Amino acid sequence: MFIDIRRAREDVMIKIAICDDEEKNLLENKTRIKKYLQEIHQIAEVAAYQSGEFLLYDIQEGLFFDLIFIDIEMPRTNGMDIAKIVKKVSPETLVVFITSHSEFAIESYELSVFRYIPKNKMKDKLYTALKDAISHINIQKDKSYLLVTPTRYEKIPYDSILYVRKESKNTVFVTCRGEIYVRKPLNQVYKELDDELFVYIDRGYMVNLMQIITLTENEVIIKNGIELHASKKRLKELRIILTDFWGERI
């Protein structure tokens, strides 16, 4: 499948979710976020959820969010439960916790959440957290592989790449939206990517670290449930790299 990245990608669109069981807080925070987004001219979709179950359902059905604001203390499915699942399904998603109780802060940091906002400081802290998150997201979205040929000029955003494989004389970018064929050797593409996000897992395969969900004895499982075979040597190296990567960046 060949796709046109210029048409497929939503250039500066950021997708944000807010989850709070208290309707008043939910609507107030949604209004604050949308007001700030207008002030900085940031295009974004903001979805509001009054139930953690509904948010999890959408995420597990494949709906992606760049940023999620979650109230920790909710009935049935609380913020901690949601964050644990989000980090497994979509580790690149930034999570901001909102709570009235400071004792949750320690556990929230152990989950590698992006920010922690006490409810009594919501007005002061929300905009700062939102500003920092958007800056982080846009930096990641701006990283792209530039494909230049006599007939094509395209950008392949790094955050859309699941993995890269060799196929005959081509390198194939497997992305969230389809496959893109490049008439270059895989080793040459690896050098051109020049980013720590991409790691060899076998002779003909590279994987995007941001897309990895888990490792088994001989496979790498990435987003969308895709399973890729990894050599024993590469898998051993990958475990070390991934541990450092998650510790520093997620």
Side-chain angles (χ1 to χ4, degrees):
M1 175 181 177
F2 291 82
I3 64 173
D4 188 341
I5 287 296
R6 289 166 296 184
R7 294 178 59 190
R9 188 185 178 212
E10 298 167 316
D11 286 331
V12 290
M13 174 68 73
I14 290 178
K15 296 186 177 181
I16 302 172
I18 315 168
C19 188
D20 194 320
D21 63 304
E22 295 184 18
E23 185 177 7
K24 180 182 177 182
N25 293 337
L26 184 66
L27 295 178
E28 284 181 353
N29 289 331
K30 182 178 181 179
T31 299
R32 288 168 178 160
I33 289 172
K34 293 186 76 171
K35 179 181 178 183
Y36 178 73
L37 292 169
Q38 290 175 353
E39 289 174 0
I40 64 172
H41 306 291
Q42 172 65 57
I43 300 174
E45 291 180 356
V46 184
Y49 292 86
Q50 203 172 342
S51 163
E53 288 88 346
F54 289 153
L55 172 59
L56 279 181
Y57 176 82
D58 280 350
I59 291 173
Q60 291 171 328
E61 285 295 302
L63 187 60
F64 173 78
F65 292 104
D66 296 289
L67 174 62
I68 302 178
F69 290 88
I70 308 174
D71 181 12
I72 294 182
E73 304 115 271
M74 294 188 293
R76 296 183 296 278
T77 306
N78 63 39
M80 291 288 184
D81 296 331
I82 295 171
K84 289 174 183 177
I85 295 173
V86 168
K87 284 300 177 181
K88 290 180 180 179
V89 175
S90 179
E92 66 269 38
T93 297
L94 302 183
V95 174
V96 176
F97 273 154
I98 302 168
T99 183
S100 300
H101 302 287
S102 59
E103 62 266 24
F104 285 114
I106 295 175
E107 187 175 353
S108 70
Y109 285 130
E110 290 175 353
L111 282 171
S112 300
V113 299
F114 185 73
R115 287 289 188 278
Y116 162 85
I117 304 178
K119 285 187 177 180
N120 61 355
K121 296 183 178 180
M122 196 66 189
K123 290 183 179 180
D124 298 328
K125 300 291 185 180
L126 176 61
Y127 291 141
T128 301
L130 189 57
K131 176 184 176 183
D132 291 346
I134 289 173
S135 176
H136 177 91
I137 292 165
N138 281 330
I139 287 172
Q140 294 302 316
K141 286 183 178 293
D142 285 343
K143 289 187 175 183
S144 301
Y145 177 81
L146 188 60
L147 173 58
V148 181
T149 72
T151 58
R152 297 171 70 186
Y153 182 92
E154 299 179 0
K155 284 184 177 181
I156 306 175
Y158 284 2
D159 66 352
S160 75
I161 300 170
L162 299 172
Y163 66 95
V164 188
R165 74 172 189 269
K166 176 184 177 181
E167 186 174 305
S168 186
K169 294 182 179 180
N170 296 310
T171 289
V172 183
F173 288 86
V174 181
T175 77
C176 299
R177 297 177 183 270
E179 296 184 349
I180 303 169
Y181 285 73
V182 180
R183 191 73 171 180
K184 290 182 180 181
L186 185 60
N187 281 339
Q188 182 180 342
V189 170
Y190 175 72
K191 293 175 182 177
E192 291 172 350
L193 285 168
D194 188 28
D195 194 283
E196 62 181 9
L197 282 178
F198 299 95
V199 177
Y200 271 101
I201 60 171
D202 212 336
R203 292 182 65 182
Y205 284 80
M206 286 188 294
V207 69
N208 184 344
L209 293 177
M210 288 296 291
Q211 304 291 351
I212 295 176
I213 296 174
T214 189
L215 305 178
T216 66
E217 291 183 359
N218 54 15
E219 289 183 328
V220 178
I221 301 174
I222 61 176
K223 193 175 178 180
N224 298 337
I226 297 171
E227 299 180 1
L228 302 174
H229 175 77
S231 68
K232 289 184 178 180
K233 179 182 177 181
R234 295 290 187 182
L235 195 57
K236 183 178 180 180
E237 295 171 350
L238 182 58
R239 291 184 191 279
I240 297 171
I241 293 171
L242 197 59
T243 299
D244 292 339
F245 179 78
W246 279 347
E248 293 175 1
R249 301 180 62 167
I250 294 178

